[in-house]
Amino acid sequence: ITKENGTSGYVIYIPYDKYSKIDDIEITILSVDGKKRKTIKKKDMVDQSMVNNVTLATDVRLLIYTVFEKEIPALIKLQYSKTIKESFTIESYVPVTNENTAILSSNFTVINYDSTNQLRFSINPWEKPSFEVTNTLRKYSFQLKNVTTSHLKMLEAKNISTYITPILEDFQMDGIDGNLSSWRNFGLWLTKLGEGTDVLDEKSKAEIKSIIRDTKDKKVIVENLYKYLQKNMRYVSIQLGIGGFKPMPAQDVHNYKYGDCKALSNYMKAILKVAGIPANYIIISAGEDYRKPKIDFPQNVFNHAIVAVPLEQDTIFLECTSQHSPVGYLGSFTGDRKAFWIDGENSNLVNTK
């Protein structure tokens, strides 16, 4: 820690969820000459849910410890072990998480014992890892030394992520196998997750058909159904298990009148299906911290879902979490950026308007 963080302190946080378990933690606070000041164990940390003002339910939790040091600068040494039961979202390497910090020394090593399963790393500002291969393993090591506060702030100002994320091409989550060697294969996995989630019962279909009536103009139908969604459904975030990637059933959205971006987008797709209008579920990196997907580097960089309705003369994009946006309006949240169009073997990257 190079500078005092006022009354907020320096916050250390370690996430875990349904698929992961923190086995052991030790945080050591030292003076710059290496003299130990204190040791913090797992029992000393706050265990807090990630539920907030827009998240109704999540199984993601944080172990948190806030460091307050009178004598600055100070050194922090963090060691922990974590067991994870899925291989889609492998732990990212986050060398620094707070302002007014520098990196004296930081190491990140990944050992892959499956020589048939290719391991890649997300694009990052650090040097490429050293590489060691034997008959039984492949070892990748990143070494960071003497990275200044000013350099870290420069990367942040340019919106350059300092995370390093390992990506296994063959992965599994919740017992469902997938492959990230191509965007097509990733789209096949996501398509499989969504199968059967856009089904509505006959009573619900009749309600949707009563809105359409004798209207033939597809654009008018899309607009009317979008307004119905906006008037009757509300957005809440629900992130439970594989539900962070799989939409909740459209019937549940219809019954309970709420859903997250995935659920509302999937529901919009379902009611358009009742009207005989095909639509596509799209995932996208939304907001200011936009992470642009790379054509030659398949990776899950997405945090939001929308819908696209391809008509004869136009494609209408729908932001299903908004109760106020006009039909077809995306705005700066998701407009004019690359997104992932999910359609089985035809899944591909597209540009939004």
Side-chain angles (χ1 to χ4, degrees), residues 27-28 85 105 136 139 256 320 329 342:
I27 302 168
T28 308
K85 297 179 182 178
S105 177
T136 58
K139 183 177 180 180
Y256 305 136
C320 299
Y329 178 77
I342 300 169

Side-chain angles (χ1 to χ4, degrees), residues 241-340:
I242 203 167
F245 301 93
K246 180 177 180 176
M248 67 185 278
Q251 189 64 56
D252 287 350
V253 176
H254 188 87
N255 293 342
Y256 305 136
K257 309 302 181 191
Y258 66 73
D260 63 8
C261 62
K262 300 180 299 298
L264 296 177
S265 296
N266 184 60
Y267 179 73
M268 187 71 216
K269 179 173 173 280
I271 60 177
L272 285 166
K273 182 180 175 182
V274 173
I277 300 176
N280 282 85
Y281 181 82
I282 287 178
I283 54 176
I284 192 167
S285 177
E288 294 181 359
D289 297 329
Y290 170 49
R291 298 179 66 190
K292 184 177 181 180
K294 305 292 183 182
I295 294 174
D296 58 350
F297 196 88
Q299 179 189 3
N300 180 42
V301 295
F302 311 106
N303 61 1
H304 191 56
I306 58 175
V307 168
V309 188
L311 300 178
E312 290 82 359
Q313 302 297 324
D314 194 12
T315 295
I316 301 173
F317 291 94
L318 301 174
E319 172 52 71
C320 299
T321 64
S322 172
Q323 293 181 303
H324 309 289
S325 295
V327 64
Y329 178 77
L330 292 180
S332 60
F333 192 58
T334 54
D336 192 25
R337 58 184 65 185
K338 283 196 178 296
F340 190 36

Side-chain angles (χ1 to χ4, degrees), residues 12-14 25 27 40-47 63-65:
I12 296 170
Y13 58 88
I14 303 171
I25 298 174
I27 302 168
I40 296 96
K41 296 287 190 177
K42 182 178 177 180
K43 63 180 177 61
D44 303 315
M45 303 182 76
V46 175
D47 192 335
L63 284 173
I64 302 173
Y65 186 82

Side-chain angles (χ1 to χ4, degrees), residues 91-102:
E91 186 89 349
S92 291
Y93 170 54
V94 188
V96 65
T97 59
N98 286 236
E99 292 184 347
N100 304 323
T101 59

